[in-house]
Amino acid sequence: MRIAIGGISVENSNFSPVPTTLPDFTVLRGDELLVGERYLGGVAQSHGVEARPDLTPGGVHVEFAPTLFARALPGGPLAADTYGALKTELLERLAAAGPVDGVYLDLHGAMYVDGMEDAEADLAAAVRGVVGPLPIIATSMDLHGNISAAYVREIDLLTAYRTAPHRDALETRQRAVRLLVRAIQEGLRPRIALVPIPVLLSGESTRTDVEPGQSLWASLAEVDAVPGVLDASLFVGFAWVDEPRAHAAAVVSGTDQAVIEHEARKLAQAYWDARHAFKFGVPAGSTDECIAWALRDNENGVFISDSGDNTTAGGVGDLPLVLERLLAHRIPSAVVGGLTDAEAVAACWQAGVGDAVETTVGGKLDTTHGQPLPVRGQVLALFDGDADKGRQAVLQVGAVKVVLTERRTAFMRIADFTQVGVDPLAHKIVVVKLGYLFPDLLRVAPKAYMALSPGAADQALTRLPYRRIARPMFPLDGEFTWQAA
Ligand SMILES: [Zn+2]
């Protein structure tokens, strides 16, 4: 059995003015795919060697043909020439791999290519064009992906994460490959039922570890077990792209058309019926409100998410708006984790540790939502040991430590702070450019608030200038009736 592996995994906000281009990607080619945790030790043992036994029911020999896998931090629209180059190389490698029984496409699902709608459908159709109609194409995706009928038509199997914040990325990839191997082995030709749901909510309001998300996503395992079903998925969708496919969706793969349609309708109806119950998992308010709440708390280390500039959802990561409010409120101590500004970093490196620096921070990339903030501060530390972040500098501005980074980044772990010598919990307020806190921060944060700040990942969806999404859409258009069909 031969299975090709490849994919382009990226999440693009088209409300960001900063394009995503080739240097933003980590690209794995050929056997590079099979080194490291993403596939080896998870999905494929190695090219041309036995796959892991637990992925191969019946002990069948699976040979994996790795092609190209490209992944980038969520960002602005993907430049068309970058997408073209990645797609072309993936297809060339796929063609060179020769005949395959199946293809495993490793995607995110919210790719937005400048000037093109439904990029995943374009990629899937191109892959189908290369391999022909017979091989089974299985894909795994983030539940924050946007699913269209055109995309589903090109593939045979689809599964998605069942946790947000995500804890099951590897498990999801394994499930996709296991289903693919099973389909090939048993000679199945799976079908996919898709029911679009006219609900568009942010990931922050649809977590799977609180109700109603917890029960909804937990119910997928029961659907998997229904005879005729192979896999059930529930997609929140990705709200920061203005495309007709931006909405929630229920997707069921299986072998019995009537059964998968019935189960997909049931899931879609359950999601629709729960729509009013989705809430942010933490108190959310304006930046000023969040600062006021934090100052009233007894604890130190109160986290505030600068959610409009959330770099894990396409925010640019250079907006200094929350920093400006912290300084205006004269808070006793705070740290801002991750503000991207290569020029300010260079100024700090030029000055050296201990020296004073007068510069502007942020607002140079996301000129749609912010502008540079003039500051005067002292360089506390310089660090150059994190490839994702580039050079970094800790600048003390008043009572606020600002961790400046050369490259766009997300502070998702405590280690992101400690590696530059900052103990976040020793400060009254800790600002991160996230929506919900990632597990490592959630574990230690005594309190967390979400600031509904402006930016390319604005959580106040009613503020976004949508023109292309399907209407009516809950909650943007208020109340309307709908039945899963
Ligand atoms: Zn996601």
Side-chain angles (χ1 to χ4, degrees):
M1 186 188 297
R2 294 195 84 227
I3 293 177
I5 300 180
I8 304 174
S9 178
V10 65
E11 181 178 273
N12 306 103
S13 164
N14 74 331
F15 300 112
S16 163
V18 183
T20 298
T21 60
L22 209 48
D24 296 313
F25 280 87
T26 303
V27 184
L28 303 175
R29 296 175 165 89
D31 286 347
E32 286 172 354
L33 268 78
L34 303 175
V35 178
E37 274 304 302
R38 192 168 187 92
Y39 302 104
L40 184 73
V43 174
Q45 191 74 340
S46 75
H47 178 38
V49 189
E50 294 286 340
R52 273 168 57 124
D54 60 340
L55 295 171
T56 57
V60 67
H61 177 101
V62 180
E63 186 181 284
F64 288 98
T67 62
L68 172 143
F69 176 69
R71 186 186 194 198
L73 187 71
L78 178 53
D81 57 347
T82 297
Y83 171 68
L86 293 171
K87 174 184 159 187
T88 300
E89 190 181 340
L90 191 156
L91 297 178
E92 282 169 1
R93 288 176 174 274
L94 185 61
V100 292
D101 302 290
V103 179
Y104 166 50
L105 270 183
D106 184 2
L107 306 175
H108 177 285
M111 175 159 63
Y112 175 78
V113 178
D114 202 16
M116 174 195 287
E117 279 185 353
D118 206 350
E120 273 83 5
D122 177 77
L123 184 63
V127 166
R128 176 61 80 196
V130 169
V131 298
L134 291 181
I136 308 280
I137 300 178
T139 68
S140 69
M141 303 174 88
D142 188 313
L143 61 86
H144 302 124
N146 291 326
I147 309 300
S148 70
Y151 169 66
V152 160
R153 262 198 299 278
E154 304 293 345
I155 60 173
D156 304 289
L157 273 167
L158 172 56
T159 190
Y161 297 167
R162 293 175 176 188
T163 62
H166 307 310
R167 298 162 200 266
D168 64 334
L170 179 60
E171 197 182 313
T172 304
R173 293 197 289 274
Q174 288 176 334
R175 190 166 61 242
V177 173
R178 205 180 289 121
L179 286 166
L180 175 58
V181 169
R182 186 180 150 197
I184 297 168
Q185 208 175 3
E186 298 179 12
L188 307 177
R189 192 80 221 185
R191 296 159 166 277
I192 300 176
L194 160 69
V195 179
I197 310 165
V199 173
L200 189 55
L201 296 167
S202 71
E204 278 60 32
S205 57
T206 49
R207 302 168 61 115
T208 65
D209 54 355
V210 291
E211 293 298 356
Q214 196 164 21
S215 299
L216 280 168
W217 271 274
S219 75
L220 297 180
E222 294 159 33
V223 183
D224 289 347
V226 173
V229 171
L230 290 169
D231 185 87
S233 296
L234 204 41
F235 286 86
V236 168
F238 180 68
W240 295 289
V241 66
D242 189 15
E243 281 190 72
R245 63 174 177 150
H247 49 70
V251 180
V252 179
S253 305
T255 51
D256 187 319
Q257 185 71 31
V259 169
I260 60 173
E261 282 180 12
H262 176 73
E263 294 299 331
R265 271 198 300 272
K266 262 178 30 191
L267 280 173
Q269 192 66 48
Y271 192 90
W272 171 260
D273 292 345
R275 68 194 182 283
H276 292 288
F278 289 112
K279 299 265 174 347
F280 293 129
V282 296
S286 70
T287 301
D288 285 345
E289 283 173 318
C290 290
I291 291 172
W293 296 335
L295 290 176
R296 273 207 299 269
D297 289 330
N298 293 322
E299 297 90 340
N300 264 340
V302 178
F303 277 72
I304 296 178
S305 292
D306 179 3
S307 67
D309 203 22
N310 172 7
T311 48
T312 69
V316 174
D318 87 324
L319 292 176
L321 306 170
V322 176
L323 170 62
E324 189 267 315
R325 298 316 298 155
L326 289 173
L327 295 170
H329 284 280
R330 301 183 166 278
I331 40 80
S333 72
V335 53
V336 175
L339 185 74
T340 305
D341 191 330
E343 285 173 38
V345 168
C348 292
W349 275 73
Q350 200 172 3
V353 173
D355 278 12
V357 168
E358 201 161 343
T359 184
T360 60
V361 292
K364 300 177 180 99
L365 299 171
D366 191 349
T367 50
T368 306
H369 302 101
Q371 53 188 14
L373 177 69
V375 296
R376 192 180 152 72
Q378 188 192 15
V379 181
L380 291 184
L382 300 170
F383 182 74
D384 186 11
D386 185 325
D388 291 338
K389 298 181 174 64
R391 291 192 303 174
Q392 298 183 68
V394 183
L395 187 64
Q396 181 84 48
V397 181
V400 184
K401 289 187 182 70
V402 187
V403 187
L404 298 164
T405 67
E406 225 166 23
R407 295 175 55 119
R408 294 182 59 241
T409 187
F411 278 44
M412 297 180 281
R413 303 161 304 146
I414 284 293
D416 292 321
F417 293 92
T418 53
Q419 75 174 1
V420 293
V422 174
D423 173 9
L425 300 182
H427 299 75
K428 182 67 199 167
I429 292 175
V430 187
V431 175
V432 283
K433 290 189 179 288
L434 297 175
Y436 46 51
L437 295 185
F438 281 54
D440 193 53
L441 297 181
L442 197 59
R443 199 167 43 79
V444 297
K447 281 260 172 82
Y449 301 115
M450 193 165 77
L452 301 175
S453 47
D458 198 328
Q459 289 282 339
L461 302 185
T462 50
R463 288 199 290 233
L464 296 176
Y466 292 115
R467 282 159 46 185
R468 301 277 301 129
I469 61 165
R471 305 313 275 253
M473 185 68 69
F474 179 87
L476 303 173
D477 297 316
E479 293 300 324
F480 58 96
T481 55
W482 180 79
Q483 283 269 274

